[in-house]
Amino acid sequence: MFSFGNYLIGLREGLEASLVVCILIAYLVKTERRDALLPIWIGIGVAVALALGFGCALTFGSSELTFEAQEALGGSLSIVAVGLVTWMVFWMRRTARHLKAELHGKLDAALQMGTAALVATAFLAVGREGLETALFVWASVRASSDGSHAPLIGVVLGLLTAVALGWLFYKGTVRINLAKFFTWTGAMLVVVAAGVLAYGVHDLQEARFVGGLQDKAFDISATIPPDSWYGTLLKGVFNFQPDPTVVQVVVWLLYLIPTLAFFFAPTRPTPRKAPVPEKATVPEQG
């Protein structure tokens, strides 16, 4: 079944990268610096290749490990992925309104430094998003995978939607409030991240790094069978598990409730500095 949770990851993460690319390209075209487009595309291409290579290394490299080593690696990387995505969600919520100006400033500096600086600027701007996306997608697909290609299909569809939206943004066809968009999609991503975190803890329990594997908080498998359409839907959207351990439930609650509370807390305006009074000049004695 189509995985909305993984579609949201692909859409949310892919749209950030698409917006970065659109802002860079549009600025160069507007300032009539088309000669700098090739270095920008080279940097973007290298960043995408690095993200794909990282994802392949995670997928195929872990398959050579023992079961316990796979679970330990999967659980550890899931926790790292949740930490990175949580930081990214809060960062984007603060900087969404100023992202364009920030990128323009970096691009202006790179234009003065030369071709290598342009390649590096595009690589760093897109590469960070790409590595975060690869890690979180890998962890989420691993958490929600049921042996089918549905989780990966959801991610790919989300990325394709993000690319299409990025093209429409570039052409000026679509205009939305990016601050609100990233706020609400960020909140939904926090819910998805909570499920990934709980699954990562379960991996560590199976690897015997964390105890309590046999202590079930509840078991509603009979009411919500994992192979039913609604069980598959809940797993695809929330990484729902009908028989979680006590540790999983505790970790899920300790992450989700405080994170959402801080995320929706009103941001305090930055206090303005008081103007420094000018020093009075003392007339020279004649």
Side-chain angles (χ1 to χ4, degrees):
M1 171 171 283
F2 173 76
S3 174
F4 175 75
N6 289 294
Y7 174 81
L8 176 64
I9 294 169
L11 174 62
R12 177 64 163 68
E13 301 293 302
L15 189 57
E16 285 187 32
S18 295
L19 287 174
V20 169
V21 172
C22 289
I23 291 171
L24 294 176
I25 299 301
Y27 185 66
L28 291 176
V29 172
K30 186 177 180 180
T31 55
E32 299 182 353
R33 290 300 308 270
R34 293 178 181 270
D35 57 302
L37 288 176
L38 181 58
I40 292 295
W41 283 117
I42 292 175
I44 292 169
V46 173
V48 172
L50 178 64
L52 290 174
F54 182 55
C56 290
L58 289 174
T59 302
F60 298 109
S62 61
S63 62
E64 303 297 325
L65 303 174
T66 63
F67 172 76
E68 289 190 353
Q70 285 185 22
E71 298 303 296
L73 177 64
S76 301
L77 289 180
S78 294
I79 294 172
V80 171
V82 169
L84 287 174
V85 167
T86 304
W87 172 83
M88 176 272 300
V89 164
F90 278 89
W91 177 82
M92 181 54 74
R93 181 173 180 263
R94 293 194 309 268
T95 61
R97 297 176 181 176
H98 312 293
L99 180 63
K100 187 175 181 179
E102 181 180 338
L103 288 173
H104 284 179
K106 291 181 179 179
L107 195 53
D108 283 334
L111 284 169
Q112 296 177 0
M113 296 175 65
T115 302
L118 287 171
V119 174
T121 299
F123 172 76
L124 293 174
V126 179
R128 180 181 62 84
E129 303 291 344
L131 291 176
E132 286 180 359
T133 302
L135 179 57
F136 194 58
V137 163
W138 178 82
S140 181
V141 168
R142 191 173 186 275
S144 60
S145 179
D146 55 358
S148 68
H149 297 291
L152 190 57
I153 291 174
V155 173
V156 172
L157 289 176
L159 290 173
L160 291 176
T161 305
V163 171
L165 285 174
W167 173 255
L168 293 175
F169 281 130
Y170 176 75
K171 289 296 185 180
T173 307
V174 174
R175 295 183 182 276
I176 62 174
N177 188 319
L178 290 178
K180 289 184 178 180
F181 175 83
F182 284 121
T183 295
W184 289 106
T185 56
M188 289 187 286
L189 204 56
V190 167
V191 176
V192 174
V196 172
L197 180 61
Y199 190 88
V201 170
H202 184 265
D203 280 349
L204 293 179
Q205 288 181 303
E206 291 192 327
R208 299 179 182 178
F209 275 71
V210 177
L213 181 60
Q214 305 303 323
D215 299 328
K216 301 293 183 181
F218 53 83
D219 188 349
I220 54 175
S221 302
T223 305
I224 306 179
D227 55 352
S228 63
W229 70 266
Y230 45 92
T232 305
L233 179 64
L234 288 172
K235 186 173 182 63
V237 177
F238 302 110
N239 285 316
F240 173 77
Q241 184 179 338
D243 57 344
T245 64
V246 174
V247 176
Q248 281 183 277
V249 173
V250 170
V251 168
W252 186 83
L253 291 172
L254 288 178
Y255 169 81
L256 184 65
I257 296 175
T259 303
L260 285 180
F262 280 113
F263 186 74
F264 283 112
T267 56
R268 295 180 180 179
T270 305
R272 295 182 178 180
K273 294 182 179 181
V276 179
E278 297 183 0
K279 293 182 180 180
T281 57
V282 180
E284 296 182 0
Q285 299 291 330

